Amino acid sequence: MGILEKSSVSSNNSDHVDRRSELEKLNWALLAHNKAATELARAEDKASLLSGVCKSIVSQKPYELAWVGLAEQDEAKTVRIVASEGAAREYATGLNVSWSADTPLGKGPAGTCIRTGISSLFPDITIDSGFAPWRQRAIDYGLKSVVACPFYDGSTTPVGAMLVYASVPNAFGEMELHLFESLAKEIGAGLRSLEKQERLDKEVAAREEAQQRLADALRATIEAVSKTMEWRDPYTAGHQKHVALIAAEIAKKLGWLPERIEGLYLAAMVHDIGKVAVPSDLLTKPTRLTKLEMQLVQEHVETGYQILKDIPFPWPIAEMVYQHHERLDGSGYPRKLTSEAILDEAKILAVADTLEAMASHRPYRPALGLDLALKEIRAEAGIQLDKAIVDAAFALHDDGDVLQKIISS
C-alpha cells in the first residue's frame, strides 16, 4: 500500500471515530433531555421541578452534576443555587458565584450566561481562563466541561441559569447546546406555570376562607336570632336548636351532602321565627288554645316566610320555613300542599319538629316522652310524614339513642 493510500485510510478512520464520538455525545444529551422533559411535565411545585430536572440529567453519564441558580438582585449580584443533583453534588455546596461583570466570580459559565442572555460553554474547564476561581475545586470532583443556559420568567432578562457538568472534556457540541437551551426554556415555562397555579391556589384559598367566615357569621347570626326569639317563650327554650340538630342528623342518615345539611340546619334554627308576631300570652298559655287562638299561632309560618323571603340565602330557607307544617296528604297548613309539592327539607323539619315538640314539656302539658313521639310519627309514616325520613329517625334512635341525647341537652 502506498503512502497516499495509507494516509487516506487513516483519515477515514479518524472521521469515523469523530462521527461516532459526536453521535455518542448527542445521544447522552437526548437521553438526558427526554428524562428531564418527563420530569417537567409531572412536577407539582418549584422545588420538585428543579430537583427532578437536575436528577434526570445526571442519571445519564457522563453528566456528573447539574444545578440551577437564580440571579439575586443584591449588591454582589449573587447567583443563588436552589437545586443541585449528581455524583459531584457536593461541588455546588457553598459555591460562590456572581453574575456581575466586575468580579472574576461573574465571569464563569453561570454569571456570563445570566448577564448576556447567551448560553456559555466551557469545553475544558482545566484550561479555560474564565473558570479560574473554581478550577481546582472542579478538578477535585472530576469535572472537565460545563455548559450554562439562561432561563426567563417571561421578561427579556434572564432570571437564572441551568448548568450541566461532565466528567469528560468537550462533552457539549452545538447540538447538545441546543438541547440544553431548549430544556432551560422549558424550565422557565414550567416555573411560570407553577407560579400562576400558586397564585390561583392562594386566591382560591383566600376566597374559600372568606366564604367560610361568611358562613360562620351567618350561622352565628341565625343562632343569635333563634336565642332572641326563645326569650319570648321560655317554655320552648332550645326547641329550634334541638329541631335543627335532629334534622341535621336525619339528613346525614339519608346521605345528604354537608352543604345541603347546612341549609337545612339554618332553616330549622329559625323555623318558628314568625312567632315574633304572635302575642306572648298565647305562646305561654298554660291551657289548650281555642280554635281562633290556634289560627293566630298558625299564621307564624306565613309571617316567618315574609321575614325571610328577601334574604339572599344560598338555600330556599324561607320556603322551608313556610312549608314545615305541610303534610303529605294535604292536611297541613297554610297552603295544604301535598307530597310532590313539599320540599324534602320541609319534610325533615316536619318529623324533627313533631319529635321534639311531643318529647318535650309544654305549658299546657307535661312531656309525652320520646317513645310516644316515635310511636306517633310511625303511625303517620307514609300518610302525613315521609316514610324514609321516619325510618331514618328510628335508625338514629337505635344508633346510640342520638335523639334522646339531643332532646335532653
Side-chain angles (χ1 to χ4, degrees), residues 40 60 144 171 186 189 206 235 304 354 388 393 396:
L40 270 167
Q60 177 60 46
K144 301 293 179 62
E186 290 179 36
Y235 290 101
T354 300
L396 285 175

Side-chain angles (χ1 to χ4, degrees), residues 6 101 116 129 138 146 170 188 217 234 286-287 310 338 372 377 387 389 408:
K6 288 180 180 180
T116 64
S129 59
V146 59
N170 301 300
T287 59
D310 295 325
T338 55
L372 188 59
I377 66 167
K387 184 178 182 304
I389 295 171
S408 301

Side-chain angles (χ1 to χ4, degrees), residues 211-290:
Q211 188 68 31
Q212 187 58 52
R213 286 198 299 269
L214 287 173
D216 292 342
L218 175 60
R219 177 182 271 239
T221 301
I222 291 291
E223 290 178 346
V225 169
S226 180
K227 288 178 182 178
T228 302
M229 290 167 50
E230 288 170 351
W231 286 345
R232 298 184 69 245
D233 184 8
Y235 290 101
T236 57
H239 168 68
Q240 291 186 121
K241 180 71 170 181
H242 291 161
V243 171
L245 292 173
I246 292 170
E249 291 297 331
I250 289 174
K252 289 177 186 177
K253 279 291 182 185
L254 294 172
W256 285 21
L257 295 175
E259 184 178 351
R260 190 179 183 189
I261 294 174
E262 180 69 6
L264 170 63
Y265 174 87
L266 295 180
M269 286 297 296
V270 290
H271 74 274
D272 280 341
I273 192 172
K275 287 183 178 178
V276 296
V278 177
S280 59
D281 58 335
L282 291 184
L283 298 176
T284 58
K285 186 176 179 180
T287 59
R288 288 196 173 276
L289 302 177
T290 66

Side-chain angles (χ1 to χ4, degrees), residues 175-232:
M175 293 297 294
E176 294 76 42
L177 180 61
H178 289 326
L179 283 170
F180 285 115
E181 285 177 335
S182 171
L183 189 56
K185 289 179 182 178
E186 290 179 36
I187 288 176
L191 290 175
R192 289 196 299 274
S193 177
L194 287 171
E195 286 173 358
K196 289 179 182 178
Q197 187 61 48
E198 285 177 5
R199 287 196 297 271
L200 178 61
D201 290 344
K202 288 179 180 178
E203 289 176 7
V204 170
R207 289 177 185 175
E208 288 178 348
E209 184 179 349
Q211 188 68 31
Q212 187 58 52
R213 286 198 299 269
L214 287 173
D216 292 342
L218 175 60
R219 177 182 271 239
T221 301
I222 291 291
E223 290 178 346
V225 169
S226 180
K227 288 178 182 178
T228 302
M229 290 167 50
E230 288 170 351
W231 286 345
R232 298 184 69 245

Side-chain angles (χ1 to χ4, degrees), residues 64-324:
E64 301 295 334
L65 170 66
W67 60 261
V68 174
L70 299 179
E72 299 288 90
Q73 299 300 319
D74 58 353
E75 186 177 352
K77 295 185 177 180
T78 305
V79 177
R80 178 168 58 91
I81 299 175
V82 292
S84 62
E85 297 289 345
R89 181 178 180 180
E90 289 300 317
Y91 168 84
T93 302
L95 198 64
N96 195 1
V97 182
S98 171
W99 57 280
S100 170
D102 299 329
T103 170
L105 296 175
K107 295 178 181 178
T112 301
C113 86
I114 291 174
R115 189 171 57 255
T116 64
I118 301 171
S119 295
S120 181
L121 177 60
F122 284 52
D124 189 344
I125 58 184
T126 64
I127 59 174
D128 289 327
S129 59
F131 208 82
W134 312 277
R135 179 172 293 118
Q136 189 56 53
R137 185 183 181 96
I139 292 172
D140 292 343
Y141 281 91
L143 304 177
K144 301 293 179 62
S145 57
V146 59
V147 64
C149 303
F151 59 86
Y152 301 77
D153 63 357
S155 64
T156 57
T157 304
V159 295
M162 178 191 74
L163 282 81
V164 182
Y165 296 74
S167 58
V168 296
N170 301 300
F172 308 99
E174 185 177 349
M175 293 297 294
E176 294 76 42
L177 180 61
H178 289 326
L179 283 170
F180 285 115
E181 285 177 335
S182 171
L183 189 56
K185 289 179 182 178
E186 290 179 36
I187 288 176
L191 290 175
R192 289 196 299 274
S193 177
L194 287 171
E195 286 173 358
K196 289 179 182 178
Q197 187 61 48
E198 285 177 5
R199 287 196 297 271
L200 178 61
D201 290 344
K202 288 179 180 178
E203 289 176 7
V204 170
R207 289 177 185 175
E208 288 178 348
E209 184 179 349
Q211 188 68 31
Q212 187 58 52
R213 286 198 299 269
L214 287 173
D216 292 342
L218 175 60
R219 177 182 271 239
T221 301
I222 291 291
E223 290 178 346
V225 169
S226 180
K227 288 178 182 178
T228 302
M229 290 167 50
E230 288 170 351
W231 286 345
R232 298 184 69 245
D233 184 8
Y235 290 101
T236 57
H239 168 68
Q240 291 186 121
K241 180 71 170 181
H242 291 161
V243 171
L245 292 173
I246 292 170
E249 291 297 331
I250 289 174
K252 289 177 186 177
K253 279 291 182 185
L254 294 172
W256 285 21
L257 295 175
E259 184 178 351
R260 190 179 183 189
I261 294 174
E262 180 69 6
L264 170 63
Y265 174 87
L266 295 180
M269 286 297 296
V270 290
H271 74 274
D272 280 341
I273 192 172
K275 287 183 178 178
V276 296
V278 177
S280 59
D281 58 335
L282 291 184
L283 298 176
T284 58
K285 186 176 179 180
T287 59
R288 288 196 173 276
L289 302 177
T290 66
K291 184 176 181 181
L292 179 58
E293 290 171 336
M294 182 59 73
Q295 288 176 347
L296 288 174
V297 172
Q298 288 179 351
E299 289 179 2
H300 79 280
V301 290
E302 171 71 33
T303 304
Y305 174 75
Q306 293 300 327
I307 292 171
L308 299 168
K309 68 182 178 66
D310 295 325
I311 301 175
F313 293 112
W315 312 275
I317 286 179
E319 194 63 36
M320 296 179 208
V321 170
Y322 205 5
Q323 297 181 16
H324 80 275

